[in-house]
Amino acid sequence: MKIAIILGTRPEIIKMAPVIDEIRKRGMEFSLIHTGQHYDHEMSDQFFIDLELPAPHHNIGVGSGSHGAMTAEMLRGLEEVLLREEPDIVMVQGDTNAVLAGALAAVKLHIPVGHVEAGLRSFDRTMPEEINRMVADVCSKLYYVPTEESAINLLMEGVDPEMILVTGNTVVDACLRNIEIASRKSDILSEFSEDDRIVALTLHRAENVDNPERLGSIIDAILELEEFRIVFPVHPRTRKNLERFGLYRMLQDAAHVTLMKPMGYLDFLLLLSNSFIVLTDSGGLQEEAITFNVPCLTLRYNTERPETVEAGGNILVGADREMITGTARRLLEDPDFRRRMMEAENPYGDGHASERIIEETLRLHREGKLAMEA
Ligand code: UD1
Ligand code: UDP
């Protein structure tokens, strides 16, 4: 059985790494296809190094652009590569443009699609990611869902229950496999003192960073939280907008804020697991925070990861200055509140999602259930 894996951005590389490891461990045939959506060393190559991944067999090299232009380039490039590679299944992960283009290109060639992290819904169609994951799920044959809750979303949309596989999220596999390696290899913590209450901050969601009012309000909160040591590896999209809106300088001048380039995975994992709070609009970070028992404040008004909120490990603070500062300070002043957040149970599985993904795929292939029906 030959598997084609399509990925294009930082989180896809991280979350597909355990699946690629599993495929290689079993000596299976595979083709690794990078769309080239993320191309800076620190947004792409660094993760291949940190996670010891093989170089992609193909890179479509789409680079940056509008959603339409990027998706069109990807479709054209992926179709060509898939026609040459003739895989038995295409696997995509998450909710980026690669998922949309990869799933669409494959299904039109009658190649079955397996969607890793299927079934998530924010129910907010203004988010490009919501459209991507919904279209990908329409095109998919196999759904590797992280939780029962995402399985229910798919059942409500009429997906065949036999094709919904509750596997857990591969993010946990990646965290558990790499944290020990990170503590051996990374010296990121040497930059901080024992007394630093580290806040790991990441920000890149279009609805936050493309909007000067929302971004300004979040930055006001960051500037106010002087009792914390705020570590902010800045996503390229965010850096451009902070500069454009005249906010970058203010952060540079704040003694309690450390601005950094996007960090490698091992450094970031160690920083995150030693943080007092995670402050983020990232999807993956909401999952990683609960995996490491770090309270997460999510800079959004909704989430496609409601399990983290229901478990008590994540609070949606939006882009509201007072909500952000008030909740962060409560974590400092109220140990019981903090303890309850830290004790939240991880809903994303036991770190064996990638094994289940490959095992179940092989089983369904053997049973002849991957074929496209008329
Ligand atoms: C993309 C995904 C988002 C995911 C995120 C992970 C979509 C619609 N969005 O958002 O779901 O959470 O990746 O980080 O697929 N840029 C660089 N160098 C790079 C990459 C990007 O400078 O290597 C800059 C460019 O100016 C680009 C901007 O960042 O226009 C945005 O990049 P893009 O890939 O369009 O979206 P992300 O915000 O990265
Ligand atoms: N990450 C990283 N370095 C950083 C910031 C994030 O390695 O400087 C990792 C993080 O551990 C997580 C992933 O990148 O696994 C999340 O990516 P991102 O927030 O860009 O995308 P999202 O998860 O929101 O799609």
Side-chain angles (χ1 to χ4, degrees):
M1 174 179 207
K2 180 174 178 181
I3 302 180
I5 293 196
I6 299 176
L7 43 74
T9 66
R10 166 168 82 182
E12 296 165 79
I13 304 167
I14 293 168
K15 288 177 168 177
M16 279 312 247
V19 177
I20 297 167
D21 286 349
E22 190 62 29
I23 291 172
R24 292 173 87 196
K25 208 163 78 190
R26 291 170 187 247
M28 293 168 71
E29 198 185 350
F30 73 104
S31 173
L32 186 55
I33 310 165
H34 197 315
T35 64
Q37 181 174 344
H38 283 177
Y39 45 86
D40 288 347
H41 177 85
E42 60 268 19
M43 294 300 288
S44 179
D45 287 0
Q46 182 65 51
F47 298 98
F48 283 82
I49 298 168
D50 283 348
L51 293 159
E52 298 182 5
L53 292 172
H57 300 97
H58 306 273
N59 192 321
I60 313 286
V62 292
S64 302
S66 70
H67 284 271
M70 262 156 78
T71 310
E73 273 298 293
M74 285 183 206
L75 271 174
R76 188 202 300 266
L78 289 171
E79 184 177 66
E80 218 177 280
V81 171
L82 292 176
L83 279 169
R84 259 188 286 147
E85 290 284 350
E86 298 184 337
D88 296 294
I89 184 167
V90 162
M91 285 190 187
V92 290
Q93 194 285 332
D95 52 23
T96 68
N97 289 342
V99 178
L100 168 69
L104 199 52
V107 74
K108 290 222 176 184
L109 295 172
H110 298 179
I111 304 168
V113 176
H115 186 189
V116 177
E117 204 180 80
L120 274 63
R121 296 289 181 267
S122 67
F123 303 101
D124 175 0
R125 286 190 182 214
T126 64
M127 290 181 70
E129 290 84 3
E130 183 74 354
I131 305 300
N132 290 345
R133 57 175 86 94
M134 288 177 77
V135 175
D137 281 339
V138 168
C139 298
S140 292
K141 180 82 191 176
L142 267 180
Y143 302 82
Y144 314 103
V145 301
T147 65
E148 298 280 348
E149 211 153 327
S150 13
I152 291 168
N153 288 336
L154 293 174
L155 290 172
M156 305 270 281
E157 291 171 19
V159 171
D160 176 359
E162 201 189 353
M163 294 297 151
I164 303 175
L165 310 161
V166 184
T167 57
N169 196 310
T170 59
V171 78
V172 182
D173 307 20
C175 284
L176 301 187
R177 285 176 201 186
N178 289 292
I179 188 62
E180 195 269 323
I181 302 172
S183 36
R184 255 188 299 118
K185 289 195 177 170
S186 164
D187 62 358
I188 189 75
L189 296 178
S190 64
E191 297 183 29
F192 304 97
S193 89
E194 291 265 314
D195 302 331
D196 281 332
R197 282 173 298 239
I198 299 172
V199 175
L201 167 68
T202 80
L203 201 55
H204 74 281
R205 206 55 66 193
E207 62 270 23
N208 277 333
V209 305
D210 294 0
N211 177 329
E213 281 79 41
R214 263 174 87 152
L215 187 58
S217 170
I218 294 169
I219 299 307
D220 281 348
I222 301 306
L223 293 172
E224 201 182 306
L225 287 170
E226 286 179 315
E227 53 275 72
F228 294 96
R229 175 85 189 265
I230 298 178
V231 187
F232 185 12
V234 190
H235 189 287
R237 176 188 204 115
T238 311
R239 178 166 181 145
K240 279 175 194 157
N241 287 346
L242 286 169
E243 284 170 350
R244 188 150 64 99
F245 305 145
L247 297 165
Y248 196 74
R249 201 47 185 286
M250 281 149 76
L251 287 169
Q252 264 180 328
D253 292 344
H256 67 293
V257 179
T258 306
L259 294 175
M260 296 179 133
K261 281 171 124 184
M263 289 165 79
Y265 183 59
L266 298 179
D267 284 342
F268 191 72
L269 215 51
L270 197 59
L271 177 82
L272 165 82
S273 60
N274 283 278
S275 294
F276 191 82
I277 302 175
V278 165
L279 197 53
T280 193
D281 62 9
S282 159
L285 255 84
Q286 294 173 61
E287 298 155 348
E288 290 169 339
I290 204 164
T291 301
F292 288 118
N293 307 105
V294 179
C296 183
L297 306 186
T298 296
L299 301 160
R300 289 176 48 190
Y301 293 98
N302 58 44
T303 179
E304 56 294 314
R305 275 110 175 147
E307 301 90 343
T308 57
V309 178
E310 286 148 17
N314 185 12
I315 297 176
L316 302 181
V317 291
D320 183 298
R321 185 178 58 82
E322 279 175 25
M323 185 72 180
I324 299 167
T325 55
T327 317
R329 287 190 172 129
R330 186 166 171 211
L331 280 165
L332 200 58
E333 287 153 13
D334 182 348
D336 281 344
F337 177 57
R338 180 169 148 76
R339 188 182 38 76
R340 281 198 302 276
M341 284 195 83
M342 291 173 68
E343 282 172 1
E345 207 176 313
N346 182 0
Y348 293 116
D350 56 4
H352 295 282
S354 45
E355 285 152 55
R356 286 188 198 104
I357 287 170
I358 298 303
E359 249 161 48
E360 291 292 286
T361 306
L362 284 168
R363 176 181 64 80
L364 289 162
H365 182 61
R366 268 196 315 273
E367 292 172 4
K369 294 201 171 133
L370 293 190
M372 301 262 298
E373 300 115 21

